[in-house]
């Protein structure tokens, strides 16, 4: 069983702990602080464990030419990409306000640090854990510096290879053992054939000492629920208040009613995973009493006869007798009294019967 880690104060993930559900608000707040607060409250009310944003220090994330590039997309908030990103980027004081708001309503708050300076600020902000977005997973200097902060890390693996993820593990593990990987495909929206949920199993085999999770950009909830059934201990999904809003992430995001259904479905699946021990359960007793079969006499059997297989058959019998799996054990046993055709074979009619204990 993968080791557990305390991802947030008092909230462990991994092992038999419940799945940690991250509502990725990202920049779906449209650059509006009030909308951001509404989304934090929505995440809380829908049952998510954490509301997450994306924090950038733009001059450290992008070079000048990238910021000056004309941005004519229908999703643009400015004439250049820099203007667009500045519209969507909250200030440090606004982040402090959002974190305080999240604490007041009782939901964990964090953000992806999209560059090293953003990580410095988030460390100062005292977020419970760092989220490493897929775009920085192969940014090894960034990973080293982030790991050295000592906070738990959730590392997405979009756009990466298994070889790269082995390198990430080897870099982070000696510095900070409290981290997990999320299977992720960086496409918005993500098509089912590109999800590759089997990578979760590959990660579980390759990295058995860390929790494995899933970050999804597909539409709907079915794939994320399947990820939990495969053992995902963290699930991250983008959320929105309205999929028709401007912004490239909204289409791959969950609206409140979908987030509610996702949380409900995940908790149902967790209950359904249950125990690996296969046995007759108390809830099955009624069905077993009504429909469970017994060994019965196929023909009339005289007292003192030695049972053979052609004397016996299996039916729903009244009263209950030997279960069907005991039929071969009865062959060669001696009967103590006459047994009528179609009569149930019970312990009382078999000589020197010793009841076998089921393991």
């Amino acid at each position: 069983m993968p080791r557990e880690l305390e991802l947030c104060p008092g909230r462990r993930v991994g092992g038999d702990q419940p799945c940690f559900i991250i509502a990725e608000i990202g920049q779906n707040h449209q650059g509006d602080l009030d909308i951001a607060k509404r989304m934090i409250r929505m995440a809380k009310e829908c049952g998510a464990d954490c509301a997450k944003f994306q924090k950038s220090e733009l001059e450290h994330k992008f070079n000048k030419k990238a910021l000056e590039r004309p941005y004519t997309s229908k999703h643009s908030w400015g004439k250049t990409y820099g203007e667009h990103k500045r519209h969507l980027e909250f200030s440090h004081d606004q982040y402090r306000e959002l974190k305080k708001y999240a604490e007041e309503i009782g939901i964990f708050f964090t953000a992806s640090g999209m560059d090293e300076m953003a990580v410095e600020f988030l460390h100062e902000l005292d977020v419970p854990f760092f989220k490493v977005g897929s775009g920085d997973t192969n940014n090894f200097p960034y990973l080293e510096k982030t790991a050295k902060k000592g906070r738990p890390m959730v590392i997405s693996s979009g756009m990466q290879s298994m070889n790269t993820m082995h390198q990430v593990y080897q870099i982070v593990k000696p510095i900070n053992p409290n981290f997990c990987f999320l299977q992720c495909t960086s496409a918005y929206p993500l098509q089912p054939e590109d999800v590759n949920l089997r990578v979760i199993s590959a990660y579980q085999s390759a990295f058995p000492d860390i929790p494995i999770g899933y970050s999804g950009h597909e539409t709907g909830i079915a794939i994320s629920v399947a990820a939990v059934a495969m053992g995902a201990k963290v699930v991250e999904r983008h959320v929105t208040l309205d999929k028709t809003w401007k912004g490239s992430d909204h289409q791959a995001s969950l609206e409140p009613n979908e987030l509610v259904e996702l949380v409900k479905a995940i908790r149902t699946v967790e209950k359904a995973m249950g125990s690996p021990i296969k046995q007759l359960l108390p809830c099955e007793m009624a069905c077993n009493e009504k429909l469970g079969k017994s060994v019965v006499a196929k023909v009339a059997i005289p007292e003192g006869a030695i049972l053979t297989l052609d004397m016996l058959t299996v039916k729903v019998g009244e009263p209950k007798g030997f279960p069907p799996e005991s039929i071969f054990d009865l062959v060669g046993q001696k009967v103590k009294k006459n047994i009528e055709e179609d009569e149930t074979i019970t312990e009382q009619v078999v000589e020197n019967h010793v009841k076998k204990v089921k393991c």
Side-chain angles (χ1 to χ4, degrees):
M1 183 65 70
R3 67 179 292 274
E4 296 180 15
L5 64 92
E6 189 174 46
L7 190 61
C8 298
R11 183 62 164 86
R12 302 183 69 79
V13 301
D16 291 325
Q17 298 296 327
C19 179
F20 188 84
I21 302 171
I22 300 172
E24 163 68 299
I25 295 169
Q27 294 191 322
N28 280 353
H29 49 68
Q30 314 297 85
D32 186 310
L33 194 67
D34 289 334
I35 290 177
K37 289 181 178 179
R38 285 170 56 197
M39 295 185 76
I40 292 172
R41 179 168 289 279
M42 178 268 284
K44 166 67 176 178
E45 291 175 348
C46 291
D49 295 292
C50 179
K52 191 185 82 65
F53 289 75
Q54 296 174 3
K55 182 72 186 91
S56 300
E57 302 294 343
L58 296 179
E59 284 69 26
H60 292 273
K61 181 180 179 182
F62 301 98
N63 69 9
K64 289 182 180 180
K65 286 189 176 181
L67 291 173
E68 292 169 356
R69 174 170 55 86
Y71 194 50
T72 58
S73 166
K74 64 180 181 179
H75 300 302
S76 174
W77 293 95
K79 293 180 180 179
T80 66
Y81 197 64
E83 288 180 8
H84 166 76
K85 296 302 288 186
R86 287 185 186 96
H87 173 84
L88 294 171
E89 195 64 48
F90 288 139
S91 69
H92 289 191
D93 284 342
Q94 287 174 315
Y95 261 88
R96 293 185 183 99
E97 186 174 342
L98 291 173
K99 182 171 183 285
K100 181 180 178 183
Y101 180 75
E103 290 169 347
E104 288 172 352
I105 68 171
I107 188 170
F108 294 116
F109 175 95
T110 195
S112 298
M114 310 298 277
D115 54 81
E116 290 180 14
M117 292 307 297
V119 171
E120 292 292 338
F121 167 66
L122 293 173
H123 185 58
E124 173 196 321
L125 191 63
D126 197 26
V127 296
F129 66 93
F130 292 129
K131 169 65 196 299
V132 177
S134 295
D136 281 304
T137 298
N138 60 350
N139 183 350
F140 296 158
Y142 166 100
L143 285 179
E144 284 189 347
K145 291 178 182 179
T146 302
K148 286 177 181 177
K149 298 296 184 186
R151 298 182 187 276
M153 299 168 66
V154 175
I155 304 173
S156 278
S157 61
M159 304 180 286
Q160 311 304 329
S161 67
M162 181 62 89
N163 181 60
T164 297
M165 297 312 295
H166 276 286
Q167 293 179 74
V168 171
Y169 178 91
Q170 291 161 5
I171 289 168
V172 175
K173 183 72 174 180
I175 304 171
N176 182 353
N178 294 315
F179 67 100
C180 64
F181 286 163
L182 307 185
Q183 162 57 359
C184 176
T185 302
S186 298
Y188 306 80
L190 174 60
Q191 298 303 309
E193 57 268 26
D194 293 322
V195 172
N196 294 328
L197 284 180
R198 286 192 177 95
V199 175
I200 293 174
S201 300
Y203 282 166
Q204 290 166 337
S205 297
F207 314 109
D209 57 344
I210 65 171
I212 302 300
Y214 174 70
S215 178
H217 304 123
E218 72 276 4
T219 57
I221 69 170
I223 290 170
S224 295
V225 175
V228 174
M230 293 183 69
K233 295 302 179 179
V234 177
V235 165
E236 176 186 72
R237 288 297 304 272
H238 285 255
V239 298
T240 182
L241 295 179
D242 189 336
K243 291 184 182 182
T244 67
W245 280 356
K246 183 164 69 173
S248 57
D249 284 351
H250 291 285
Q251 192 178 351
S253 300
L254 300 177
E255 290 182 339
N257 63 314
E258 293 176 298
L259 181 57
V260 167
E261 286 303 310
L262 174 63
V263 173
K264 181 180 177 181
I266 286 174
R267 300 307 177 214
T268 299
V269 165
E270 288 175 328
K271 289 179 184 178
M273 295 301 288
S275 167
I277 299 171
K278 184 59 181 172
Q279 59 186 331
L280 177 65
L281 297 176
C283 66
E284 296 178 297
M285 292 304 297
C287 184
N288 188 59
E289 285 299 313
K290 182 179 180 180
L291 299 176
K293 294 186 175 181
S294 300
V295 179
V296 302
K298 191 174 183 180
V299 296
I301 304 172
E303 178 183 346
I306 303 300
L307 292 173
T308 60
L309 191 60
D310 58 6
M311 297 177 180
L312 306 173
T313 190
V314 173
K315 294 184 179 182
V316 175
E318 182 64 36
K320 293 288 182 186
F322 286 95
E325 64 264 28
S326 297
I327 193 168
F328 296 127
D329 296 328
L330 290 171
V331 173
Q333 301 292 314
K334 185 177 182 180
V335 299
K336 297 188 289 185
K337 56 172 285 189
N338 292 331
I339 304 172
E340 295 180 6
E341 181 183 345
D342 211 39
E343 184 180 343
T344 303
I345 308 294
T346 63
E347 294 178 16
Q348 290 74 25
V349 302
V350 178
E351 192 172 274
N352 300 321
H353 172 69
V354 178
K355 189 174 182 179
K356 292 188 177 182
V357 178
K358 289 185 180 181
C359 297

